Amino acid sequence: MANSILKAAAGTALLAALSTGASAQVTHFGAGCAGGSGLTPTIDINGFAEVTANFSVDIATGIPGTLSILIIGGSNTSWLGSPLPLDLGFAGLTGCNLNVSYDNTLTFLADANGDISLPVSGAGFTPGTTVYAQAFAFDPGPGTLGGMTDGMEVIIGPGQVGPLVISEFLKDPGFTSESTGEWVEIFNPTGADIDIEGYTLSDLDFDSTILDNGGLGVIVPAGGYLVIGNEDDQLLNGNVPVGYQYGVNGQFFLSNSGDEIVLTDLAGGVVDRVIYDNGVVWPDSSGKSIAVDAGSLDINGNDDGVNWAHATCTIAGGPVCNPDLGTPGYANSACTTTTCGGGGGPSGELIITEIMQNPSAVGDNEGEWFEVYNTTAGPIDKIGYT
């Protein structure tokens, strides 16, 4: 019932002029008012208001089992020829304003905690539609019949538009610092290269950086992967093949607890996003990237943390072997490196074969040495080894 009423309101709602990106979907306006208990009810949404997703309208009254009304409208500026907000003192709601047009209503009872969650399917909406909502909670007291929430504007977004997929990321490197070792991998499932220069990488808070390469392009190759990260110098980032250093134009950092990775295109559409937690559903260990399963490598499958797991391959490489786990730049199931040995370098390629730890002809400072044997057919440059 809640779903059908919201859809009816959306059919006559005004088209939004605001971006339909995730961070601009919900705006609160006006002021709420308290009922006789002194509590002011609140209203918000849980999830993303998009045509491709389900979300819920959540109302908290603080009063168990209270009778409440959800008001749904297509305007927050006028109703029946009167400007909004409208003082509701004449209706027994002293100090309360109507912030949205009274076009549709839904009556319900709060649960034992005074909360209400009304499920909504975005499938019945058109992208760009705006819906306004406000809720009343019956809470009588001297001079008032109850309290009201503030107004809420909900913009129905188009959802994730793809085709690019966030396929792997390292939020908590163990081998390097986070300022140099964090990275995000993007997969292109199509048969053509895709240039993402000008796209925005952000979270749902204040982190945001525009991918700007001076007009040279930021290419995700056809059927392949692009790694973007805080640092592109492999001597500093642990041998990760970062194709674009995103810290040069804004800021973006991956929290070690819960955070979001949102890739937005030039038109403001959400190409793909990942919202991870701190180990409740998602993998959460230091020194291991988090990679989506090959069977869920798409913009919908990677929304669910159960489809992600820690990488099992060592990043390794050279000149300094990185023992962190990850597959940056290639398929999550493929290991192209060997594990790190005890002192650096892939295991077995270099072997310590002889040591002089206590010379007698000269002092230790001048006479100590050790010998290293190369088991391979080619030279190995140890510059940068530790």
Side-chain angles (χ1 to χ4, degrees), residues 358-368:
N358 188 23
S360 60
V362 296
D364 287 356
N365 288 343
E366 295 83 22
E368 290 182 351

Side-chain angles (χ1 to χ4, degrees), residues 164 186 194-200 211 218-220 226 228 263:
L164 299 174
I186 300 170
I194 297 178
D195 186 358
I196 60 172
E197 182 164 13
Y199 284 30
T200 299
L211 309 184
V218 180
I219 306 299
V220 189
L226 172 70
I228 57 178
L263 183 66

Side-chain angles (χ1 to χ4, degrees), residues 188-281:
N188 178 2
T190 76
D193 293 351
I194 297 178
D195 186 358
I196 60 172
E197 182 164 13
Y199 284 30
T200 299
L201 182 69
S202 65
D203 61 10
L204 299 181
D205 194 0
F206 55 82
D207 277 0
S208 180
T209 180
I210 297 175
L211 309 184
D212 181 0
N213 197 26
L216 299 177
V218 180
I219 306 299
V220 189
Y225 302 83
L226 172 70
V227 179
I228 57 178
N230 264 334
E231 175 60 61
D232 62 4
D233 187 338
Q234 291 188 232
L235 289 174
L236 301 176
N237 70 21
N239 312 313
V240 177
V242 169
Y244 177 80
Q245 182 175 312
Y246 53 60
V248 297
N249 191 33
Q251 72 169 37
F252 182 78
F253 298 100
L254 297 169
S255 171
N256 291 344
S257 55
D259 207 350
E260 311 86 24
I261 305 170
V262 183
L263 183 66
T264 306
D265 64 20
L266 295 172
V270 177
V271 177
D272 191 24
R273 68 164 166 262
V274 166
I275 303 174
Y276 63 87
D277 59 33
N278 60 340
V280 178
V281 177

Side-chain angles (χ1 to χ4, degrees), residues 10 18 31 34 39 48 61 64 90 129 138 142 146 164 226-227 239 248 283 293 316 350 357 359 366:
L18 299 177
L39 299 174
F48 289 88
T61 69
F90 71 92
T129 299
F138 185 69
L164 299 174
L226 172 70
V227 179
N239 312 313
V248 297
D293 181 81
L350 295 176
Q357 93 281 14
E366 295 83 22

Side-chain angles (χ1 to χ4, degrees), residues 50-72:
E50 299 173 344
V51 295
T52 58
N54 297 326
F55 60 97
S56 64
V57 175
D58 292 352
I59 301 164
T61 69
I63 307 171
T66 186
L67 176 68
S68 303
I69 299 173
L70 177 64
I71 305 165
I72 307 161

Side-chain angles (χ1 to χ4, degrees), residues 298-318:
D298 59 70
I299 59 174
N300 296 312
N302 72 348
D303 288 342
D304 192 341
V306 301
N307 296 329
W308 293 72
H310 282 310
T312 57
C313 305
T314 307
I315 293 175

